[in-house]
Amino acid sequence: MSEHRLPEWIYVPELEESIIEAETLEDFLGSNSILLNVLNNIREGISILTPDLTVVYLNEPMKYWYSQKKSFVPKKCYELFHDTEKPCENCPALKAIENGKA
């Protein structure tokens, strides 16, 4: 197995083990580890929701911001973020689902 190295300017230390374990660079780039590390290293809050507004993923900043909550997933976004029992008025997630655009 050959050792893979990414260029210094895109090197992320948390990915080193995944890079070394990958048989090919294509295997590494096709894995979930690169996506999860990128999402966790973005300083903005990112959540991934199902079409019924269930939270299935929060990146590290979101987990930190909502750390007072007892559990994160699976919960509806409006329960987790706003402590309500129904979707928010003018919910951006529902608008995105409805029109298929971010």
Side-chain angles (χ1 to χ4, degrees):
M1 176 177 5
S2 64
E3 185 174 326
H4 302 291
R5 289 287 289 165
L6 294 175
E8 281 291 315
W9 57 272
I10 61 170
Y11 179 68
V12 178
E14 293 86 355
L15 294 175
E16 181 70 22
E17 187 174 325
S18 297
I19 294 167
I20 292 170
E21 289 177 0
E23 299 227 357
T24 66
L25 189 56
E26 289 76 26
D27 289 341
F28 167 71
L29 293 174
S31 73
N32 287 336
S33 62
I34 189 170
L35 173 62
L36 293 175
N37 274 289
V38 168
L39 292 176
N40 282 325
N41 283 289
I42 293 173
R43 300 291 179 232
E44 299 295 322
I46 296 174
S47 58
I48 298 177
L49 312 174
T50 63
D52 72 349
L53 304 180
T54 300
V55 177
V56 294
Y57 171 81
L58 296 175
N59 71 344
E60 292 304 317
M62 290 290 275
K63 289 178 184 176
Y64 176 77
W65 296 334
Y66 291 93
S67 60
Q68 76 280 5
K69 303 287 182 170
K70 291 184 176 138
S71 68
F72 299 116
V73 289
K75 277 191 174 178
K76 302 294 186 188
C77 59
Y78 47 87
E79 294 171 334
L80 179 62
F81 303 137
H82 302 290
D83 293 317
T84 62
E85 296 179 7
K86 62 182 182 171
C88 304
E89 192 174 316
N90 299 316
C91 172
L94 287 176
K95 286 181 183 178
I97 291 167
E98 183 180 312
N99 66 28
K101 297 178 184 175

